Amino acid sequence: MSSVLSDAHLTEGMRSVFVELLVHGPLSRAEAARRLDLSPSAVTKLTKPLLENGYLLHQPLGDRSTMGRPSQPLAVDPARAALIGVKLTEDALFAVRTDLRAEIQHELRRPLISHAVDDVVTRIGEAVRDLTGSGQPPAALGISLAGTASGGDPVVPTSPFLGWRNVPLGDLVAAATGLPAVVENDVRALTAAQQWFGAGVGRSSFALVTVGAGLGCGLVIGDRLVSGAGRGTGLVGHLPIHDNGPLCEMGHRGCARAYASSAAIRRAVASTLDRPGLTFEACLALAGEGQPVARRIFEEAGRALGQVVATVANITGVQLVILSGEAVAMYDVCAEAFDAALTAHTHWTSTPVEVVVKPFTFSEWARGAAVIALQHRILGR
């Protein structure tokens, strides 16, 4: 990011103050000092270069009726820099341009011509140019996709939907666009967006569980987004649910994916009703209307999902789990079954888990990629 935020000499204290104001601001210097356990004079010193470079602004004073000298709040200027976020799916590219607070300014969708790496890189370059136009050049670019990508490595070791192995996507995109590029697993990118600008703000630890073509899990523990050894954290799709359950596409019997993925639900409803043309959305509509077969299958999915969330909470100790993903609308028809399973499988000594359901759009996945680019640029991770 231009100027101060990309300066290798940016101190850890300056980074901490900037992030605090970005995520929790506007804040007075005294409040920022209290939150960061610093002196007000230290905060004044740390914020001076950020003010001089236009990353921070003084906000108008609030209530002047209180006793004593009022403290003018500081806030990040969200227009000071722009970011690009790209989400790759099996057949399309979703891209957004955001400000520093990850507010989406422009968005687009482009079909993928093929899964050939050069074609995908070309598509990303076209999207960046379309989102940039004649405006302010973006400061950085984030790319998210299903697979074992991790923000500290430009190489995508595996991406099953795209059929990739050991693709240096970050370097290729950086060369094609001229922008610093970071690549991340899509669920972790979505988790990052919730950490700084969503339901996870103010929580030092939480989990995000996604349900759609598969099941995924992102974790923030002790204020850090967890990547894990081998970039394999959050692989909850094949957790065992029932020994005599249905088979998933990998041949596992009774795993979470075999019950709760959108493809598994669609197959179960369509085959049982002998209506092979049913879409997942049509199955969901049938369940919402009370059709007995569809209702039963969605309730089974809800119980499996509730067990997954309980397992995640039991292992990590998080008290907040955010539910999202392209099939999260199923919660509306299986909430009772989900809640019962969550209660039954949560350890009896644990605090009840708070569950927040977040509506899903693919632009939100792309926004998560932009947040990853921002975090990587500021924090170097």
Side-chain angles (χ1 to χ4, degrees):
M1 198 166 294
S2 60
S3 192
V4 168
L5 293 188
S6 61
D7 189 343
H9 298 99
L10 183 65
T11 67
E12 191 64 31
M14 289 168 64
R15 297 178 200 273
S16 298
V17 170
F18 183 84
V19 171
E20 194 70 24
L21 291 167
L22 179 69
V23 176
H24 301 287
L27 297 172
S28 68
R29 286 178 175 82
E31 177 62 12
R34 185 190 66 78
R35 296 175 69 97
L36 294 168
D37 195 24
L38 297 170
S39 68
S41 61
V43 170
T44 297
K45 180 179 179 181
L46 292 169
T47 56
K48 182 179 178 182
L50 296 168
L51 282 161
E52 290 173 346
N53 282 272
Y55 283 99
L56 299 183
L57 298 172
H58 286 109
Q59 294 292 95
L61 290 171
D63 184 8
R64 295 171 179 264
S65 64
T66 56
M67 297 295 291
R69 181 181 177 183
S71 179
Q72 196 168 23
L74 291 174
V76 170
D77 179 6
R80 181 63 178 81
L83 302 150
I84 300 288
V86 173
K87 157 66 174 168
L88 297 175
T89 70
E90 187 174 9
D91 55 11
L93 171 157
F94 298 83
V96 297
R97 178 187 174 99
T98 77
D99 63 17
L100 276 177
R101 287 192 51 79
E103 293 294 329
I104 296 175
Q105 300 166 331
H106 304 288
E107 59 185 283
L108 57 80
R109 178 190 185 278
R110 297 283 187 271
L112 292 182
I113 301 169
S114 76
H115 292 169
V117 175
D118 288 346
D119 288 341
V120 174
V121 171
T122 297
R123 265 300 198 231
I124 293 172
E126 292 170 351
V128 170
R129 287 192 294 274
D130 290 345
L131 289 170
T132 302
S134 59
Q136 177 189 25
L141 165 66
I143 306 160
S144 75
L145 71 170
T148 52
S150 178
D153 189 343
V155 175
V156 177
T158 60
S159 181
F161 291 143
L162 296 172
W164 289 354
R165 294 188 69 86
N166 298 320
V167 173
L169 185 64
D171 291 339
L172 292 172
V173 170
T177 63
L179 296 176
V182 58
V183 187
E184 182 59 271
N185 168 268
D186 53 359
V187 176
R188 281 198 293 273
L190 190 61
T191 305
Q194 292 300 312
Q195 178 189 17
W196 275 15
F197 304 111
V201 171
R203 304 289 190 117
S204 64
S205 301
F206 69 92
L208 177 137
V209 173
T210 58
V211 56
L215 280 78
C217 178
L219 291 171
V220 171
I221 303 293
D223 293 315
R224 292 184 67 94
L225 183 66
V226 179
S227 292
R231 313 174 184 91
T233 185
L235 302 178
V236 298
H238 297 288
L239 286 175
I241 300 298
H242 198 291
D243 290 343
N244 296 319
L247 290 172
C248 76
E249 65 274 24
M250 298 294 292
H252 303 148
R253 183 168 295 283
C255 69
R257 189 178 177 117
Y259 280 103
S261 71
S262 55
I265 293 169
R266 191 208 69 78
R267 283 195 303 269
V269 176
S271 62
T272 306
L273 294 179
D274 195 21
R275 295 174 62 181
L278 282 176
T279 63
F280 173 79
E281 290 73 21
C283 296
L284 182 59
L286 287 173
E289 293 163 3
Q291 204 285 331
V293 168
R295 192 81 185 185
R296 174 182 59 80
I297 290 170
F298 271 94
E299 286 175 353
E300 289 176 351
R303 282 192 286 272
L305 188 58
Q307 185 172 336
V308 168
V309 170
T311 300
V312 169
N314 289 341
I315 292 172
T316 64
V318 298
Q319 295 180 5
L320 169 67
V321 175
I322 303 165
L323 274 184
S324 190
E326 58 264 42
V328 75
M330 66 183 263
Y331 181 83
D332 292 340
V333 298
C334 66
E336 187 174 342
F338 172 91
D339 291 342
L342 176 61
T343 299
H345 290 280
T346 299
H347 194 274
W348 62 274
T349 62
S350 300
T351 303
V353 180
E354 178 187 355
V355 176
V356 174
V357 179
K358 296 292 291 184
F360 172 84
T361 63
F362 276 109
S363 60
E364 190 67 15
W365 289 97
R367 178 175 178 256
V371 174
I372 284 290
L374 177 62
Q375 291 188 346
H376 192 72
R377 202 75 174 139
I378 297 173
L379 303 176
R381 63 172 190 262

mmCIF file of all heavy atoms in Angstrom, residues 20 24 31 63-64 89 145 154 157 174 191 196 235 287 289 305 310 329 340 346 372:
data_model
loop_
_atom_site.group_PDB
_atom_site.id
_atom_site.type_symbol
_atom_site.label_atom_id
_atom_site.label_comp_id
_atom_site.label_asym_id
_atom_site.label_seq_id
_atom_site.Cartn_x
_atom_site.Cartn_y
_atom_site.Cartn_z
ATOM 1 N N GLU A 20 -6.527 -0.915 15.162
ATOM 2 C CA GLU A 20 -7.529 -0.614 16.183
ATOM 3 C C GLU A 20 -8.508 0.439 15.685
ATOM 4 O O GLU A 20 -9.735 0.314 15.868
ATOM 5 C CB GLU A 20 -6.835 -0.137 17.457
ATOM 6 C CG GLU A 20 -7.731 -0.119 18.688
ATOM 7 C CD GLU A 20 -8.101 -1.514 19.167
ATOM 8 O OE1 GLU A 20 -7.364 -2.474 18.879
ATOM 9 O OE2 GLU A 20 -9.146 -1.636 19.832
ATOM 10 N N HIS A 24 -12.281 -0.623 15.021
ATOM 11 C CA HIS A 24 -13.145 -0.168 16.113
ATOM 12 C C HIS A 24 -13.405 1.338 16.115
ATOM 13 O O HIS A 24 -14.184 1.816 16.932
ATOM 14 C CB HIS A 24 -12.523 -0.557 17.464
ATOM 15 C CG HIS A 24 -12.304 -2.026 17.628
ATOM 16 N ND1 HIS A 24 -13.344 -2.905 17.827
ATOM 17 C CD2 HIS A 24 -11.171 -2.773 17.607
ATOM 18 C CE1 HIS A 24 -12.857 -4.135 17.934
ATOM 19 N NE2 HIS A 24 -11.547 -4.083 17.808
ATOM 20 N N GLU A 31 -9.083 6.799 24.336
ATOM 21 C CA GLU A 31 -9.739 5.495 24.235
ATOM 22 C C GLU A 31 -8.843 4.500 23.512
ATOM 23 O O GLU A 31 -8.736 3.333 23.909
ATOM 24 C CB GLU A 31 -11.073 5.642 23.505
ATOM 25 C CG GLU A 31 -11.823 4.330 23.270
ATOM 26 C CD GLU A 31 -12.215 3.606 24.550
ATOM 27 O OE1 GLU A 31 -12.119 4.207 25.642
ATOM 28 O OE2 GLU A 31 -12.616 2.439 24.450
ATOM 29 N N ASP A 63 -20.489 15.494 21.605
ATOM 30 C CA ASP A 63 -21.158 16.287 22.625
ATOM 31 C C ASP A 63 -20.146 17.207 23.327
ATOM 32 O O ASP A 63 -19.187 16.739 23.928
ATOM 33 C CB ASP A 63 -21.817 15.351 23.636
ATOM 34 C CG ASP A 63 -22.613 16.113 24.688
ATOM 35 O OD1 ASP A 63 -22.764 17.342 24.538
ATOM 36 O OD2 ASP A 63 -23.080 15.463 25.630
ATOM 37 N N ARG A 64 -20.324 18.494 23.230
ATOM 38 C CA ARG A 64 -19.416 19.460 23.864
ATOM 39 C C ARG A 64 -19.874 19.869 25.257
ATOM 40 O O ARG A 64 -19.266 20.725 25.874
ATOM 41 C CB ARG A 64 -19.292 20.721 22.993
ATOM 42 C CG ARG A 64 -18.639 20.454 21.634
ATOM 43 C CD ARG A 64 -18.749 21.683 20.751
ATOM 44 N NE ARG A 64 -18.125 21.476 19.453
ATOM 45 C CZ ARG A 64 -16.892 21.841 19.127
ATOM 46 N NH1 ARG A 64 -16.127 22.433 20.017
ATOM 47 N NH2 ARG A 64 -16.402 21.628 17.919
ATOM 48 N N THR A 89 -14.566 -19.656 -8.547
ATOM 49 C CA THR A 89 -15.344 -20.869 -8.373
ATOM 50 C C THR A 89 -15.007 -21.813 -9.530
ATOM 51 O O THR A 89 -14.124 -21.532 -10.346
ATOM 52 C CB THR A 89 -16.850 -20.587 -8.361
ATOM 53 O OG1 THR A 89 -17.278 -20.197 -9.680
ATOM 54 C CG2 THR A 89 -17.187 -19.482 -7.366
ATOM 55 N N LEU A 145 -10.026 -19.028 -3.215
ATOM 56 C CA LEU A 145 -10.523 -20.179 -3.940
ATOM 57 C C LEU A 145 -10.576 -21.372 -3.004
ATOM 58 O O LEU A 145 -9.906 -21.385 -1.967
ATOM 59 C CB LEU A 145 -9.652 -20.496 -5.150
ATOM 60 C CG LEU A 145 -8.245 -21.080 -4.926
ATOM 61 C CD1 LEU A 145 -7.663 -21.554 -6.258
ATOM 62 C CD2 LEU A 145 -7.300 -20.102 -4.272
ATOM 63 N N PRO A 154 2.572 -17.783 -2.405
ATOM 64 C CA PRO A 154 1.912 -17.483 -3.674
ATOM 65 C C PRO A 154 1.474 -18.722 -4.456
ATOM 66 O O PRO A 154 0.757 -18.617 -5.446
ATOM 67 C CB PRO A 154 2.982 -16.707 -4.450
ATOM 68 C CG PRO A 154 4.276 -17.204 -3.911
ATOM 69 C CD PRO A 154 4.020 -17.493 -2.450
ATOM 70 N N PRO A 157 -1.161 -25.183 -3.728
ATOM 71 C CA PRO A 157 -0.774 -26.596 -3.799
ATOM 72 C C PRO A 157 -1.846 -27.471 -4.447
ATOM 73 O O PRO A 157 -1.547 -28.304 -5.298
ATOM 74 C CB PRO A 157 -0.552 -26.982 -2.326
ATOM 75 C CG PRO A 157 -0.259 -25.689 -1.634
ATOM 76 C CD PRO A 157 -1.112 -24.677 -2.342
ATOM 77 N N ALA A 174 0.436 -11.263 -10.030
ATOM 78 C CA ALA A 174 1.213 -10.044 -9.757
ATOM 79 C C ALA A 174 1.920 -9.568 -11.021
ATOM 80 O O ALA A 174 1.945 -8.363 -11.319
ATOM 81 C CB ALA A 174 2.218 -10.302 -8.639
ATOM 82 N N THR A 191 -13.655 -15.672 6.655
ATOM 83 C CA THR A 191 -13.469 -15.525 8.104
ATOM 84 C C THR A 191 -12.765 -14.215 8.429
ATOM 85 O O THR A 191 -13.119 -13.515 9.391
ATOM 86 C CB THR A 191 -12.664 -16.710 8.660
ATOM 87 O OG1 THR A 191 -13.296 -17.936 8.297
ATOM 88 C CG2 THR A 191 -12.547 -16.630 10.173
ATOM 89 N N TRP A 196 -12.673 -8.601 10.954
ATOM 90 C CA TRP A 196 -12.422 -7.159 11.007
ATOM 91 C C TRP A 196 -13.657 -6.324 10.744
ATOM 92 O O TRP A 196 -13.754 -5.204 11.257
ATOM 93 C CB TRP A 196 -11.335 -6.788 9.987
ATOM 94 C CG TRP A 196 -9.945 -6.967 10.530
ATOM 95 C CD1 TRP A 196 -9.580 -7.669 11.648
ATOM 96 C CD2 TRP A 196 -8.737 -6.433 9.988
ATOM 97 N NE1 TRP A 196 -8.225 -7.615 11.819
ATOM 98 C CE2 TRP A 196 -7.676 -6.861 10.828
ATOM 99 C CE3 TRP A 196 -8.439 -5.658 8.874
ATOM 100 C CZ2 TRP A 196 -6.348 -6.512 10.588
ATOM 101 C CZ3 TRP A 196 -7.112 -5.318 8.631
ATOM 102 C CH2 TRP A 196 -6.082 -5.736 9.488
ATOM 103 N N LEU A 235 -10.966 -28.580 8.062
ATOM 104 C CA LEU A 235 -11.488 -29.628 7.173
ATOM 105 C C LEU A 235 -12.532 -30.447 7.914
ATOM 106 O O LEU A 235 -12.275 -31.547 8.405
ATOM 107 C CB LEU A 235 -10.327 -30.509 6.686
ATOM 108 C CG LEU A 235 -9.211 -29.759 5.950
ATOM 109 C CD1 LEU A 235 -8.098 -30.717 5.547
ATOM 110 C CD2 LEU A 235 -9.766 -29.048 4.722
ATOM 111 N N ALA A 287 -39.236 -28.244 0.944
ATOM 112 C CA ALA A 287 -39.141 -28.387 2.397
ATOM 113 C C ALA A 287 -39.847 -27.240 3.100
ATOM 114 O O ALA A 287 -40.533 -27.443 4.119
ATOM 115 C CB ALA A 287 -37.672 -28.453 2.823
ATOM 116 N N GLU A 289 -42.360 -25.669 2.061
ATOM 117 C CA GLU A 289 -43.809 -25.861 1.908
ATOM 118 C C GLU A 289 -44.327 -27.024 2.742
ATOM 119 O O GLU A 289 -45.538 -27.278 2.773
ATOM 120 C CB GLU A 289 -44.121 -26.115 0.432
ATOM 121 C CG GLU A 289 -43.857 -24.915 -0.468
ATOM 122 C CD GLU A 289 -43.775 -25.304 -1.941
ATOM 123 O OE1 GLU A 289 -43.994 -26.514 -2.245
ATOM 124 O OE2 GLU A 289 -43.486 -24.427 -2.767
ATOM 125 N N LEU A 305 -25.356 -30.761 10.609
ATOM 126 C CA LEU A 305 -24.674 -29.462 10.702
ATOM 127 C C LEU A 305 -24.557 -29.014 12.155
ATOM 128 O O LEU A 305 -23.523 -28.471 12.577
ATOM 129 C CB LEU A 305 -25.428 -28.428 9.872
ATOM 130 C CG LEU A 305 -24.779 -27.059 9.698
ATOM 131 C CD1 LEU A 305 -23.404 -27.183 9.053
ATOM 132 C CD2 LEU A 305 -25.674 -26.161 8.846
ATOM 133 N N ALA A 310 -21.154 -28.146 16.988
ATOM 134 C CA ALA A 310 -20.848 -28.517 18.373
ATOM 135 C C ALA A 310 -19.432 -29.073 18.491
ATOM 136 O O ALA A 310 -18.701 -28.757 19.433
ATOM 137 C CB ALA A 310 -21.861 -29.546 18.866
ATOM 138 N N ALA A 329 -29.221 -20.815 3.484
ATOM 139 C CA ALA A 329 -30.667 -20.582 3.572
ATOM 140 C C ALA A 329 -31.409 -21.814 4.077
ATOM 141 O O ALA A 329 -32.555 -21.705 4.542
ATOM 142 C CB ALA A 329 -31.212 -20.158 2.213
ATOM 143 N N ALA A 340 -31.361 -28.561 18.224
ATOM 144 C CA ALA A 340 -31.416 -29.736 19.093
ATOM 145 C C ALA A 340 -30.107 -30.511 19.048
ATOM 146 O O ALA A 340 -29.586 -30.953 20.085
ATOM 147 C CB ALA A 340 -32.577 -30.633 18.675
ATOM 148 N N THR A 346 -22.990 -30.478 22.328
ATOM 149 C CA THR A 346 -22.097 -29.545 23.020
ATOM 150 C C THR A 346 -21.738 -30.111 24.385
ATOM 151 O O THR A 346 -22.601 -30.614 25.104
ATOM 152 C CB THR A 346 -22.766 -28.170 23.180
ATOM 153 O OG1 THR A 346 -23.052 -27.629 21.883
ATOM 154 C CG2 THR A 346 -21.856 -27.201 23.918
ATOM 155 N N ILE A 372 -8.194 -10.081 3.045
ATOM 156 C CA ILE A 372 -6.933 -10.816 3.163
ATOM 157 C C ILE A 372 -5.780 -9.991 2.603
ATOM 158 O O ILE A 372 -4.692 -9.904 3.196
ATOM 159 C CB ILE A 372 -7.029 -12.176 2.446
ATOM 160 C CG1 ILE A 372 -7.834 -13.162 3.286
ATOM 161 C CG2 ILE A 372 -5.654 -12.741 2.128
ATOM 162 C CD1 ILE A 372 -7.143 -13.622 4.563
#
